[in-house]
Amino acid sequence: MKKSTALNAPFQPASFAFRDVTKVREIIARYPKGRDQSAIMPLLDLAQRQVGEDGLKSAKPYGGWIPRAAMDEVAKLCGVAPMKVYEVATFYSMYNLEPVGKYLLQFCTTTPCWLCNASGVLQAAEKHLGIHVGDTTDDGYFTIMEVECLGACSNAPMVQINDHYYEDLTPEKMVEILKSFRQDVIPPSGPQNGRKGSMSIAGPTSLMDQAKKAGVI
Amino acid sequence: MPKLKINDQDVEVSPGTSILQAAEQIGVEIPRFCYHDKLSVPANCRMCLVELQGAPKPVASCAMAAGDNMVVYTHSDKVKKARNGVMEMLLINHPLDCPICDQGGECDLQDQAVAYGFDRSRYHEHKRAVPDKNLGPLIKTVMTRCINCTRCVRFGEEIAGVETLGQLNRGEDAEIGTFIETAVNTELSGNMVDVCPVGALTSKPYAFKARPWELKKTETIDIHDGLGCNIRVDSRGSEVMRILPRLNESINEEWIDDRTRYAYDGLKKNRLDRPYVRDAKTKVLRESTWEEALSVTASALTSTPPAQMAAFAGDLVDVESALALKDLMASMGCSNVECRVDGAMFDPSVKAGYVMNSTLEGVERADLIILVGVNPRHEAALLNARIRRNWLDRRVKVVLVGASAELTYPYTHAGTAPKDVVKLAQDYAGKAKYPMMIVGAGVFKRPDAMALHALLKDTAEKIGCLSDDWNGFNVLHMAAGRVGALEIGFYPPQPLAIEQMSCVYLLGTDNPETISRISKQAFVIYQGHHGGAGAARADVILPGSAYTEKNAIYMNTEGRPQMARKAVDAPGQAREDWKIIRALSGYRGAPLRYDDLSQIRARLMREYPQFDLMDEVSIGSWDKFGMSGNVLDQSFHVTVEDFYQTNIITQASDTLRECSRVFTRGETPLAEAAE
């Protein structure tokens, strides 16, 4: 994933303040005194979610991202140079440094998913939305990102939409899911082919007793 | 004490030593890019891999602590293969542009590629390219050459205290950058060029000017501040091409500040390269000959009564010249000599009262640092770097009395005037074991200087700066020539009434505090290397040499004598300063009794044996100095308004004028404005 370098872009707000001050205090208090920089990552996440909440209410919706002012605010709260926060924020693909769509689609295209037709799923989404990887739809609803392994290999292929995994996809299923999101109806996450969790589609083949106890068969 | 075997050789090292350092102790060099003696250890370049018996894989020797009974091979086949692999990886994205790269010839990557590089590339994909960054008027970047060793980032963080540079993004997109475009605003930025092991960061003023192998290297010392940083002057023909730091753990370690490094273009501009005499009729300075200039000067000196004559030694004057001038004045029965030309009239009678008694290395021992009327960042950038390190290591408490300053460590601002210093004595008495008081020499530019000097002495004693093994009273001078001149007694018994002098000899003196007091009728002789306020006022100009053009002794603010060596010839008819004075004494018919440098040095060391111990600090005894009296309730003023424009050489330097515009005044850099 190519990170944004257009950081002096005009859409950067001039200032940023956390709304949930209690939460900020709680996050910083999690770490030993003098180790405030450990709070950088959860605070960045909090900032991203706060911006995302505002985005939902906006006329043209957008998803969570971290403005530069927010990074500076986090640096101030953690008592480090802003550069330290920029380094962290640019390193992780989880942090968006420019506005994204209301629904952020993160397609896994690493080997196991790819072997299970991840590229077909991705292409179906691109064709349906009329955009390519890295782009956002004009209505502000969707952004497509290509990411490395998200750790759901047993349910390949998969896509992460905002905070949820949609697994065992087919190109057709993908389009259905997108249509549903376009109506702001959130379809149930998880495997899309009827399988439970990550067990075999035909039901458990081992550890039957435990499966019974857990109530899956 | 761990004992280990490196290449079948036994070595015992202190605990915590890395394998790389242990190998260095027995003279085994391990290649490295990211490791630097003075910086933290990130172990990200992997070039220093060694074979450690029992370890499944090669280990990074810079980050692995030497342990007891380790068996290490630094040059086995396995190691060679590992390093070849690392080198191949580093070169995948490194452009093959050595012929147009300024680092060529002194590049770590180039040198090590000779030893470990593969003679062809197996990489057929596109090389990555990284956009260049604009880091200001001093550092030129070609970021595609960067191997992401992060030395510059760590230098900024750990030494300079400005975290502008960082390692951004990840994987193939990883790059060194500022995130938001901004210049690297630190007075130590030039050192980032030095620590860069490749040609990613190079010196902007030196770009495409010379190759390292065509330069003559002269080891000398710097005169832009009072520390006497050790430098190497690289010259070609009669031109100074660049200035680099030289290792001296007691003074500058291996850094120098940007004023020292980039002032050299000022040595080529606005020079006094021939004698001038003010025409009696037109009242305009005209070019002249040495014969005329010296005889005019000699007759002026001879015709003036000694009591109406005065000589001044300026900020950049070496000890030999000052001594020759003092001898010349003495031969005429005149004791009106003065080196406190900036008007800082402290008491020069006791050495311990005007030098840095704790020494620079003492900064690391201090557990309380009190700054009085000084901005160490501007007046001695490397002293500031030492204070910062003490703060990083031990969170030393720093207290500042004087104008508030932007320092690279937190400090308590305890007021601005002498009365606040008195209060400090109550607040901090006995609180610290090694308290250090650093007084900027500039604070004495006030009428109550003598009383202030005594007050500061009392305060230092009350705080506990004086003990059997510690003297924490320090005066920090900006002028490189000041302490040396004071040591040879270049000051008058009573403050001079400059206004009443009818003949004034200015040796490298351009300070307005002195010049403005000279009477309109006085005959003024200016001897120096740059045209400035002094030369403008002069009736005779005798062209002298700058610090790169003479063999001379300077004494730094600690009282440490050091030898400067001649790197290039002085321009035109300019001569070494002490020789001019010696020639002048001949024109007066009473020649001084030394004909060459060794004789004048013999004369110097006979009378002032402290100059005999080159590079050593001789400790002065603590005695009474200053005068009791009323201290005015007047705030300390700022001594250095502009770090980049502090003396006549920096004022002639285009590079530093540009720095002053960009960094001090925050204007747009010229290059950008033109675009």
Side-chain angles (χ1 to χ4, degrees), chain B residues 351 555 558-562 610 613-618:
Chain B
K351 180 178 183 179
M555 196 178 241
E558 303 166 288
R560 186 193 301 272
Q562 297 190 99
Q610 60 268 44
L613 289 166
M614 250 328 128
D615 304 325
E616 298 290 330
V617 174
S618 49

Side-chain angles (χ1 to χ4, degrees), chain A residues 1-3 5 7-8 68 71 81 83-84 86-87 90-93 97, chain B residues 153 157 163-171 173 175 177-181:
Chain A
M1 213 301 274
K2 189 86 187 158
K3 279 281 173 177
T5 47
L7 288 153
N8 299 310
R68 201 174 77 210
M71 291 189 262
M83 182 38 89
K84 297 285 120 200
Y86 304 156
E87 285 181 329
T90 56
F91 186 85
Y92 294 100
S93 58
L97 300 185
Chain B
V153 176
E157 240 173 78
E163 293 166 70
T164 347
L165 284 177
Q167 171 90 61
L168 300 170
N169 302 333
R170 75 197 283 186
D173 300 317
E175 60 172 328
T178 52
F179 196 69
I180 306 153
E181 183 168 313

Side-chain angles (χ1 to χ4, degrees), chain B residues 147-202:
Chain B
I147 57 168
N148 289 296
C149 72
T150 70
R151 274 188 188 179
C152 53
V153 176
R154 284 174 285 141
F155 178 84
E157 240 173 78
E158 293 160 23
I159 311 284
V162 275
E163 293 166 70
T164 347
L165 284 177
Q167 171 90 61
L168 300 170
N169 302 333
R170 75 197 283 186
E172 205 201 1
D173 300 317
E175 60 172 328
I176 301 292
T178 52
F179 196 69
I180 306 153
E181 183 168 313
T182 170
V184 178
N185 186 357
T186 155
E187 52 295 316
L188 296 174
S189 67
N191 295 300
M192 288 183 185
V193 172
D194 283 346
V195 296
C196 183
V198 297
L201 306 182
T202 50

Side-chain angles (χ1 to χ4, degrees), chain B residues 85-126:
Chain B
V86 170
M87 180 54 83
E88 196 173 0
M89 285 283 285
L90 289 174
L91 292 179
I92 280 178
N93 282 313
H94 193 82
L96 193 60
D97 64 351
C98 303
I100 56 150
C101 175
D102 261 324
Q103 194 84 353
E106 50 184 3
C107 174
D108 290 356
L109 188 63
Q110 204 177 30
D111 293 349
Q112 289 174 35
V114 173
Y116 299 102
F118 191 41
D119 64 356
R120 70 206 81 124
S121 176
R122 295 188 291 175
Y123 188 73
H124 299 292
E125 287 76 9
H126 288 295

